[in-house]
Amino acid sequence: MEFLQGQSVETTVAVAVAVVAVAAGAGFILLRSKKPKGCLDAENFKEFKLVEKRQISHNVAKFKFALPTPTSVLGLPIGQHISCRGQDATGEEVIKPYTPTTLDPDIGYFELVIKMYPQGRMSHHFREMKVGDYMSVKGPKGRFKYQPGQVRAFGMLAGGSGITPMFQVTRAILENPNDNTKIHLIYANVTYDDILLQEELDSLAKNYPDRFKIYYVLNQPPTVWDGGVGFVSKDMIQSHCPAPAADIQILRCGPPPMNKAMAAHLDDIGYTKEMQFQF
């Protein structure tokens, strides 16, 4: 009888230990697989508070918006954008797409680098914003989908504020230790002062010299300048972007005339439609 009682106790303890182990394992798997819920709503606008506004140049500023908690994430997939709603100088509603320069690992906030044009309708709204004001935001939006390693290399053709989606994708790739994708960026502007995110871009090029190359092009360069001059040409693309291949893709984002010219150049060089994507 004592033997049977001892065996019963041992069996009960073993079962209890097994149950605890299974529960702990299931909890670990759940924690590993559970991603933080993003703050965005694709159907409805949500309000985010402006907590910092830093002027970068006479017509460019960085806007920092707080998320609901210090550990909240925006929930924006790589290469996608948000819609911002505001009012123009006449009080009319304006909705325009923007790409944050921050990523989900930047918890608790998101940032927008905005170039404000004199006659821009949404530019007026951003120019008038003060710390403490709220921005109406909806998203995510966009057709671009990225998975690490989906291509061997990206070529990127950006003009003006079209650098923001390129910067977002570049940061995500380079800061992922498991992603070996190479990036070749051509970034065009009118003057040197028009270059957005130059400090951040140069820092990435310095920190990842084997994976990220950048070539600046200016229409009106300073006296001392070692980058490209004029408009982005076929020769520049052939010299600074990966050649046409099944495992590469060329991304482009800029003013409509530039996008149209770049599409023609890429077609002439031999990049198929599948190798091209326009933000």
Side-chain angles (χ1 to χ4, degrees):
M1 182 68 73
E2 289 179 2
F3 171 74
L4 291 176
Q5 286 178 337
Q7 206 172 37
S8 176
V9 170
E10 288 176 2
T11 302
T12 302
V13 171
V15 169
V17 170
V19 169
V20 170
V22 169
F28 177 74
I29 292 170
L30 182 63
L31 287 172
R32 285 289 301 272
S33 61
K34 188 177 181 181
K35 291 183 178 179
K37 180 174 169 52
C39 299
L40 289 172
D41 186 326
E43 303 301 326
N44 302 293
F45 281 97
K46 298 179 71 173
E47 302 289 314
F48 296 94
K49 185 178 182 179
L50 178 65
V51 294
E52 184 180 330
K53 179 179 179 180
R54 182 164 67 88
Q55 205 70 27
I56 296 174
S57 69
H58 72 284
N59 64 349
V60 177
K62 180 181 285 188
F63 296 79
K64 182 176 182 179
F65 295 91
L67 297 179
T69 74
T71 57
S72 297
V73 299
L74 186 60
L76 186 68
I78 297 168
Q80 298 201 6
H81 60 269
I82 57 177
S83 293
C84 294
R85 183 176 65 187
Q87 292 184 332
D88 65 12
T90 67
E92 289 288 321
E93 180 179 278
V94 187
I95 299 175
K96 191 173 178 183
Y98 292 95
T99 305
T101 55
T102 43
L103 303 173
D104 278 356
D106 303 312
I107 60 173
Y109 70 97
F110 70 94
E111 290 180 341
L112 298 173
V113 174
I114 304 295
K115 187 168 186 175
M116 291 163 284
Y117 299 92
Q119 305 304 318
R121 297 179 67 205
M122 195 66 189
S123 293
H124 169 81
H125 187 88
F126 277 107
R127 199 161 35 239
E128 295 297 312
M129 283 196 81
K130 298 177 178 60
V131 170
D133 291 345
Y134 285 80
M135 173 64 75
S136 298
V137 174
K138 183 166 69 171
K141 305 284 185 180
R143 298 174 293 113
F144 186 80
K145 294 186 180 354
Y146 180 70
Q147 293 295 328
Q150 72 180 38
V151 294
R152 170 175 51 86
F154 280 116
M156 295 180 174
L157 307 175
S161 55
I163 190 61
T164 52
M166 308 300 189
F167 180 75
Q168 184 206 58
V169 172
T170 297
R171 259 198 70 192
I173 290 172
L174 297 179
E175 293 177 10
N176 182 353
N178 299 316
D179 196 336
N180 296 315
T181 307
K182 296 185 184 300
I183 304 163
H184 306 262
L185 169 65
I186 298 177
Y187 182 24
N189 284 282
V190 178
T191 70
Y192 185 84
D193 290 337
D194 292 324
I195 300 174
L196 301 181
L197 299 166
Q198 184 178 14
E199 184 178 338
E200 292 87 344
L201 289 166
D202 289 345
S203 177
L204 289 174
K206 180 181 178 181
N207 293 333
Y208 304 93
D210 297 328
R211 297 177 57 204
F212 179 50
K213 308 290 184 184
I214 182 166
Y215 183 68
Y216 294 105
V217 179
L218 295 179
N219 192 248
Q220 300 171 17
T223 305
V224 179
W225 176 247
D226 59 0
V229 176
F231 298 108
V232 177
S233 65
K234 282 195 291 186
D235 285 344
M236 290 179 189
I237 296 172
Q238 289 174 306
S239 297
H240 298 281
C241 286
D247 58 354
I248 69 97
Q249 192 172 33
I250 305 294
L251 310 179
R252 59 178 187 266
C253 187
M258 178 183 177
N259 286 333
K260 184 177 180 180
M262 294 307 100
H265 288 340
L266 295 173
D267 289 343
D268 289 346
I269 294 170
Y271 295 96
T272 65
K273 296 301 181 187
E274 292 73 26
M275 297 175 198
Q276 304 179 41
F277 182 88
Q278 179 175 308
F279 285 103

